[in-house]
Amino acid sequence: MAEGPLAGIRVVDLTRVWAGPLGARILADLGAHVVKVEAPNGRGAARGATRGGQFAAGDPGDRPWNRQGSFNKLNRNKQSFVLNLKKPRAHELFLELVAQSDVVIENFSAGTMDDLGLGYQALAAANPSIVYLSMPGYGLTGPYRDYVAYGPSIEPMTGLAHLLGYGDGVPRVTSIALPDATAGTVAASAVMTALWRREVTGQGAFIDLSQHEGFIPFFAGELVAHQVEPDLPPISSNRHRVHAPHNIYRCAGGDDWIAIAARSEEEWAALSRFAGQHWVDDPRFATREARKANEDALDAAIEAWTAGREKIELGSMLQDAGVPAAAVLNAPELLSEPQLHARGFFVELDHPDVWPVSYPGTPVRIDGVGPQGWTVAPTLGQHNEAILGGLLGLSDAEIADLYAAGVTADRPNS
Amino acid sequence: MDSTATALQGVKVLELRARASAGFAGRLFVDAGAEVTTVSVPSPGAPSGHLLQYLERGKGSLAIDLGAAGAGDRLRSLAAEHDLLVTDLDPREIEHLGLQRAQGGRLRARVLITPFGMTGPYRDRPASPATILALSGHTFLLGEPGEAPLTLPGDYVGYQSGLYAYSAALAVLLESRRSGVAVARTVEVSELEALASLHQHTTVNYTYSGHIRIRKGNRWDGIHPITILPCADGWFGMCIVATFWENFARWLGPQWLTDPRFALVTDRVEHADELDAEIRAAIATQTKVALQEEGQGRQRVPVGAVRTPAEILDDPHLRERGFWREEAVEGRKVIFPSVPYRFVEGQAPSPVSASAIERPA
């Protein structure tokens, strides 16, 4: 279990796929004891074991449910406890676990927990001070409450697609399901808000989190702009509405690019000086307004200069010269990025069904200390005995009966 | 006022803001009921315009010249009157002002949000949201293959960094209250690390199987159809993972179910252009809202209209949920997003004594 300020806080994590597991992982990285309650199937959305491309070495192996990359990345520092919540005995055990916990997080469709008989009222009866977070795609109320939702289906519904693109009026989506990433971080923030209130008032909480809503605030300024200036023309999202130059420029290589963003006259002068191109002396580029008016020519001039240069070296030299710039990195380049390595951001964790792998760590350091006591993602049901025997006080014989009855398991039952 | 907006009543936050990251963190504190006082610092990356209007709502402000003699002393003294100091000044400025030494009074956390962290070879380098997105591996994945990759509009970097900072700051504040230890701790959030931590499977695809994700335009990597396509009055989005293929096909093209080109996920990826052409033909005469209502309401598949900014501002679901906050800006009424979660009222049991909350062993 990770060390951190949330030591002593126990979280029951019922979530699947990306957003929910990320939210619970943030709490785990901060030191919470996170018990991942899993269904005994280990397939599909639960452990993603239907997507071959993410298995270690592309090979599902004998236990594919333990070899899926995204699952293992998103569930470090957690314990796995398998409970078949369709069985009455599992309900009793689940409520006993809730009674000894502080937080429950789930990202099922709205109403699923009520249908299971495990909605907020049932949980609060077991533990009046429980903080219960439900995070369906569109929240628990409103006309879209029952909509089926995944990050990629939520994103077009947020308005971002019309702001993202090349300025040609064709909407674009990120195709990397970013609403999941924002829902995860918002989930952690919502839980922390409720835990603080509980600490002060003793009041538990039932939190309704909409993944749809969680995605919108980062482009709030753009939404306000469209209210004040309804006819605002589309622009390339690589350009800034005020500053120039601000774009992604081609570098030497097949698919190699650099981001450059000069936001002040000083940064612009530093870019011009470093490039040795006397751009600052060109009246078309002399002021911010002139650069915006001649942005096509400006971008063409800069790209003519960057096109033959190696992106990582150029990015580094521009930064040293005081220009915000950075190479556009792909996965292997990210994994070898010097700043991240110097700070020990990637954490190698050894999984019994995979091999030692470097996983992205946490951006949070407290008092300058990096990860302490981190554990790799659990195998399916790895902590059944620890939870049933240690926490819930069952005997070995009772635990064996639970396995026999299919209430718990340590491998999929189908 | 719902109780979400009073959850942090009594918490005092000093926001020392040079960029948007501290502003987003402060926004979250204000929306949850904390008292936030902002000291705004001029910088090339300072939020401006409509983003600034969104970030500043509900905050108090103080003017302090950081270049004046004794500015560091004044800021540290001011910090001691708050529970949290949240800043996104650059590391040199933080150290110059001695903010990492701020302590005493009611201060429990110094929250330092910086582009690259307080250590490492890039510590003092300049950065912007676009350069952090590039370096963190996000930009490479956005946009059309063969064309320049895309960066994101707005400030995704500031939002996500602010969210991390908010949660970590509250964790430290909570720890202090529970333990009774009244010292200020340093919470450091690196924006580059925040973004690098938020990929779903970009790095593990490579470390697990050597696969390098690339950008695919409006298509998903390895599953189809996850895309947006034009319909009668705009664009329509769909996320048809394997579970929903049968319902989707029964609705828009029952013949696809017996077409070997579309039999398996891998087949649909291989024949994506052909499948898109068939879907385009099937939806060409229908409006996006009609498609959404039929697809979600009757067919139970994850689809949705591609909303324009004007449409999202008028979206009936968000209106009914009370997501927007209306205020006057430049003489006109404008709506802003509120906090994207809320405490459900009327269902919570009576509070128990905070001291009676059982602690896990």
Side-chain angles (χ1 to χ4, degrees):
Chain A
M1 204 180 309
E3 297 175 15
L6 294 185
I9 297 292
R10 180 170 296 127
V11 177
V12 177
D13 173 14
L14 286 161
T15 65
R16 307 171 302 158
V17 198
W18 183 7
L22 171 63
R25 189 190 77 182
I26 292 169
L27 301 173
D29 289 351
L30 287 168
H33 175 204
V34 178
V35 179
K36 188 167 190 68
V37 174
E38 302 192 68
N41 55 40
R43 296 185 185 279
R47 277 183 174 247
T50 54
R51 295 197 59 194
Q54 294 175 33
F55 291 129
D59 176 8
D62 293 335
R63 298 191 289 183
W65 49 90
N66 293 336
R67 286 173 62 82
Q68 210 273 354
S70 291
F71 180 91
N72 289 343
K73 185 176 89 70
L74 288 164
N75 291 287
R76 65 174 178 237
N77 297 325
K78 302 180 186 178
Q79 295 185 328
S80 171
F81 174 36
V82 170
L83 264 184
N84 184 352
L85 291 174
K86 293 176 179 169
K87 294 191 178 275
R89 178 61 178 138
H91 276 216
E92 296 168 6
L93 294 166
F94 182 74
L95 291 172
E96 287 176 33
L97 176 61
V98 169
Q100 297 188 52
S101 300
D102 300 276
V103 178
V104 174
I105 306 178
E106 54 90 358
N107 63 348
F108 298 120
S109 301
T112 299
M113 289 293 279
D114 284 326
D115 292 344
L116 282 169
L118 294 171
Y120 175 69
Q121 296 292 354
L123 304 194
N127 181 350
S129 65
I130 197 74
V131 169
Y132 173 52
L133 172 69
S134 179
M135 48 188 296
Y138 295 92
L140 294 171
T141 63
Y144 307 160
R145 171 188 186 273
D146 295 321
Y147 276 16
V148 184
Y150 286 79
S153 69
I154 292 170
E155 186 181 320
M157 298 271 281
T158 64
L160 181 79
H162 280 270
L163 304 171
L164 176 68
Y166 295 96
D168 54 7
V170 175
R172 307 278 167 175
V173 285
T174 65
S175 293
I176 51 174
L178 283 188
D180 282 297
T182 51
T185 47
V186 170
S189 77
V191 167
M192 290 313 308
T193 307
L195 283 175
W196 174 260
R197 186 182 74 161
R198 188 188 73 158
E199 189 65 25
V200 173
T201 68
Q203 177 80 57
F206 178 13
I207 308 170
D208 168 7
L209 188 159
S210 158
Q211 297 189 31
H212 183 223
E213 293 171 4
F215 192 61
I216 292 172
F218 82 84
F219 54 94
E222 294 287 327
L223 293 180
V224 176
H226 276 266
Q227 295 173 72
V228 177
E229 303 172 67
D231 299 322
L232 211 54
I235 62 168
S236 164
S237 45
N238 287 344
R239 288 181 170 175
H240 195 279
R241 289 207 184 269
V242 176
H243 305 301
H246 188 288
N247 216 324
I248 310 289
Y249 302 96
R250 185 178 291 279
C251 288
D255 190 18
D256 294 275
W257 306 83
I258 189 167
I260 298 175
R263 305 154 302 170
S264 66
E265 294 311 302
E266 290 74 18
E267 290 175 351
W268 165 237
L271 172 61
S272 180
R273 194 165 47 244
F274 179 82
Q277 298 289 312
H278 303 290
W279 289 323
V280 288
D281 300 324
D282 187 326
R284 295 174 301 165
F285 310 142
T287 64
R288 188 179 70 187
E289 291 74 18
R291 292 193 295 278
K292 283 301 293 180
N294 297 288
E295 201 163 9
D296 288 344
L298 175 67
D299 283 342
I302 293 172
E303 189 155 274
W305 175 71
T306 62
R309 289 172 164 76
E310 198 282 321
K311 64 179 180 181
I312 293 177
E313 182 185 33
L314 181 60
S316 186
M317 290 193 295
L318 281 170
Q319 288 174 23
D320 281 340
V323 181
V328 175
L329 300 186
N330 63 22
E333 292 162 346
L334 175 64
L335 284 156
S336 58
E337 205 288 319
Q339 171 71 6
L340 295 172
H341 273 276
R343 285 172 53 81
F345 171 69
F346 292 103
V347 179
E348 186 171 281
L349 298 170
D350 192 1
H351 191 289
D353 284 285
V354 189
W355 55 70
V357 170
S358 283
Y359 296 90
T362 173
V364 176
R365 288 185 185 204
I366 296 174
D367 296 335
V369 178
Q372 301 284 310
W374 279 27
T375 54
V376 73
T379 58
L380 185 70
Q382 182 180 340
H383 300 94
N384 290 345
E385 280 74 14
I387 303 299
L388 290 167
L391 200 59
L392 303 182
L394 272 62
S395 68
D396 289 347
E398 288 171 313
I399 295 170
D401 288 344
L402 293 175
Y403 275 100
V407 173
T408 191
D410 57 9
R411 57 187 301 117
N413 58 8
S414 62
Chain B
M1 181 183 293
D2 69 54
S3 64
T4 318
T6 58
L8 300 185
Q9 210 162 43
V11 173
K12 294 182 68 175
V13 180
L14 178 62
E15 174 191 307
L16 181 55
R17 185 192 66 223
R19 298 175 295 109
S21 297
F24 274 109
R27 169 86 270 127
L28 294 161
F29 278 108
V30 169
D31 285 342
E35 178 186 329
V36 177
T37 301
T38 301
V39 176
S40 174
V41 180
S43 83
S48 61
H50 302 304
L51 174 61
L52 183 62
Q53 289 163 349
Y54 165 68
L55 296 176
E56 283 198 318
R57 293 171 42 251
K59 298 176 182 175
S61 66
L62 272 177
I64 296 179
D65 177 3
L66 298 198
D73 291 341
R74 187 172 175 204
L75 284 168
R76 290 195 302 276
S77 173
L78 196 58
E81 297 171 16
H82 295 77
D83 300 288
L84 302 168
L85 165 65
V86 180
T87 186
D88 56 12
L89 293 183
D90 68 52
R92 274 183 296 218
E93 194 79 8
I94 287 170
E95 290 183 350
H96 172 69
L97 294 166
L99 299 178
Q100 78 281 20
R101 301 193 310 273
Q103 58 187 331
R106 62 188 292 172
L107 188 66
R108 295 294 175 269
R110 304 167 288 252
V111 184
L112 315 177
I113 313 170
T114 58
F116 298 109
M118 292 296 289
T119 59
Y122 298 178
R123 189 191 90 139
D124 296 319
R125 290 181 169 184
S128 78
T131 64
I132 294 292
L133 280 162
L135 212 52
S136 67
H138 282 75
T139 305
F140 187 75
L141 302 175
L142 308 181
E144 290 295 321
E147 294 188 39
L150 290 170
T151 198
L152 287 166
D155 194 338
Y156 182 72
V157 175
Y159 182 48
Q160 289 288 30
S161 302
L163 279 159
Y164 264 119
Y166 175 90
S167 295
L170 279 180
V172 166
L173 198 59
L174 183 68
E175 177 194 43
S176 173
R177 185 178 169 99
R178 298 175 81 200
S179 68
V181 177
V183 297
R185 305 188 73 181
T186 298
V187 174
E188 184 188 330
V189 175
S190 153
E191 293 172 358
L192 174 61
E193 292 172 1
L195 270 289
S197 76
L198 291 171
H199 289 277
Q200 183 182 19
H201 46 77
T202 305
T203 61
V204 290
N205 271 12
Y206 184 71
T207 52
Y208 269 56
S209 61
H211 173 64
I212 300 174
R213 291 185 86 183
I214 58 172
R215 59 190 176 283
K216 304 233 170 183
N218 283 337
R219 287 180 179 167
W220 190 260
D221 189 10
I223 307 176
H224 198 73
I226 300 179
T227 189
I228 59 173
L229 292 169
C231 60
D233 61 345
W235 291 71
F236 183 59
M238 60 208 75
C239 175
I240 309 304
V241 296
T243 317
F244 298 99
W245 168 247
E246 192 169 321
N247 276 6
F248 180 76
R250 281 192 203 290
W251 168 35
L252 290 174
Q255 70 278 14
W256 303 336
L257 291 171
T258 54
D259 189 327
R261 295 174 301 164
F262 310 139
L264 302 173
V265 171
T266 48
D267 299 320
R268 296 194 284 276
V269 171
E270 184 181 346
H271 299 284
D273 287 343
E274 295 146 86
L275 180 54
D276 280 0
E278 301 231 4
I279 298 171
R280 280 170 183 255
I283 66 176
T285 59
Q286 300 183 63
T287 67
K288 57 188 181 182
V289 171
L291 285 163
Q292 174 184 307
E293 289 176 350
E294 174 67 17
Q296 286 278 6
R298 291 168 57 90
Q299 309 298 332
R300 300 289 296 147
V301 289
V303 296
V306 178
R307 303 281 187 185
T308 65
E311 288 167 346
I312 195 68
L313 292 163
D314 201 34
D315 184 275
H317 180 77
L318 293 173
R319 294 263 177 187
E320 184 172 316
R321 283 177 56 81
F323 178 59
W324 304 110
R325 295 285 179 272
E326 185 176 284
E327 289 189 18
V329 171
E330 299 165 11
R332 72 168 67 200
K333 286 183 178 172
V334 166
I335 56 175
F336 295 91
S338 66
V339 66
Y341 63 87
R342 59 213 53 143
F343 297 150
V344 178
E345 309 292 344
Q347 293 199 42
S350 300
V352 298
S353 163
S355 60
I357 295 170
E358 279 197 33
R359 305 291 181 214

XYZ file of all heavy atoms in Angstrom, chain A residues 111 192 243:
22
model
N -28.492 3.970 -11.721
C -29.511 3.055 -11.224
C -29.059 1.620 -11.045
O -29.782 0.810 -10.443
N -12.521 13.980 -2.130
C -11.778 14.749 -1.129
C -12.639 15.857 -0.526
O -12.567 16.133 0.670
C -10.505 15.339 -1.739
C -9.427 14.329 -2.067
S -9.086 13.149 -0.730
C -8.823 14.246 0.659
N -2.070 35.282 -29.315
C -0.621 35.252 -29.499
C -0.225 34.630 -30.836
O -0.904 33.762 -31.359
C 0.042 34.452 -28.376
C -0.290 34.932 -27.010
N -0.011 36.212 -26.596
C -0.876 34.321 -25.950
C -0.421 36.367 -25.343
N -0.960 35.231 -24.932
